[in-house]
Amino acid sequence: MNIAKDIAETNIAITGPAGLCEGANLRTPCGARRVEYLRQGDLVVTRDNGLQPVRLIWTRTVTEAEVTADPSLAPVALEPRAIGPMMPQHTLRVSGGQRLLIPGWRLEDEDDDTSCLVPARDVNGLSLGIDTPVAEVTYYNIVFDAAQVFCANGLPVESFVPTEETLRAAPKDVQADLHRLFADLGPKFADYPTPRYKQRQRVSYTPSFA
């Protein structure tokens, strides 16, 4: 089965928070490490650029009341093999705005070797549905020197990309930290290196992996 088309390409804004939930395992030189134990300066294995140091980690916690008022803030649960073999290896919880790297052979009207970034909430039927937290949920956003793709529970995902749009969700102290870390970039981060992958949204999905 392929993911059906309903495409909007290039410069797609992420609506709502991005990030990984507690328990997501990332690849490091020392083996798998849960995202909540990652620290600034730690090295993470990236898909295209080898080991890259973490420049900043910022978190956003949303309460049950906030999710009740705005269901788009709830995490999405990705079941094992939701995208493909070993992708993810174990259940992965992410925000609806977190972009996932989906291989081209799962997408209609794409070459097999053309992987695309798609927000989790825009892949209909990807999981068992919205995973409403009992009390609250914290999203972890990892920032590198450039936008990177790395694996969380074996599934390629995108790091946080500071842009005028995404910074609206970041607290003032996080914005100040980002401007301090990337002092050479403009105030809107227009020069921040972006992913080399095509961006898509609003795609339908039919599971094909048992």
Side-chain angles (χ1 to χ4, degrees):
M1 295 288 183
N2 287 329
I3 297 174
K5 69 174 182 177
D6 185 1
I7 310 305
E9 298 179 5
T10 69
N11 299 321
I12 296 173
I14 298 177
T15 56
L20 307 173
C21 295
E22 181 177 318
N25 277 313
L26 280 57
R27 291 181 61 199
T28 77
C30 300
R33 181 175 298 179
R34 288 171 57 140
V35 66
E36 63 267 30
Y37 300 141
L38 206 63
R39 297 293 179 264
Q40 185 175 355
D42 286 347
L43 295 175
V44 172
V45 179
T46 66
R47 181 183 178 92
D48 303 302
N49 298 297
L51 298 176
Q52 293 293 318
V54 173
R55 296 297 303 275
L56 179 71
I57 302 172
W58 72 275
T59 61
R60 177 180 178 181
T61 299
V62 294
T63 65
E64 184 178 15
E66 289 176 307
V67 172
T68 300
D70 182 1
S72 71
L73 296 176
V76 174
L78 298 142
E79 296 302 313
R81 299 168 63 86
I83 301 299
M86 306 297 285
M87 294 192 300
Q89 298 167 339
H90 310 287
T91 300
L92 176 66
R93 296 170 70 236
V94 302
S95 70
Q98 175 62 50
R99 287 203 285 238
L100 319 172
L101 187 67
I102 297 180
W105 56 269
R106 298 291 290 154
L107 303 170
E108 285 190 359
D109 299 326
E110 291 291 351
D111 295 333
D112 286 352
D113 58 354
T114 302
S115 297
C116 299
L117 289 165
V118 183
R121 71 159 60 91
D122 285 348
V123 187
N124 298 322
L126 181 65
S127 68
L128 297 180
I130 297 298
D131 182 20
T132 305
V134 174
E136 62 182 26
V137 60
T138 298
Y139 295 121
Y140 293 81
N141 294 272
I142 301 173
V143 184
F144 298 96
D145 285 320
Q148 303 289 347
V149 170
F150 60 95
C151 285
N153 289 8
L155 177 64
V157 299
E158 182 188 40
S159 65
F160 179 75
V161 180
T163 65
E164 184 178 13
E165 178 72 22
T166 59
L167 284 175
R168 293 174 188 169
K172 295 295 184 183
D173 59 334
V174 172
Q175 295 182 33
D177 287 341
L178 286 166
H179 285 296
R180 184 170 58 252
L181 282 170
F182 303 105
D184 294 336
L185 300 181
K188 296 182 180 179
F189 288 90
D191 298 327
Y192 184 81
T194 54
R196 65 178 181 85
Y197 299 99
K198 183 187 297 186
Q199 299 173 22
R200 298 178 61 163
Q201 64 181 157
R202 294 189 300 275
V203 294
S204 299
Y205 175 83
T206 303
S208 63
F209 295 95

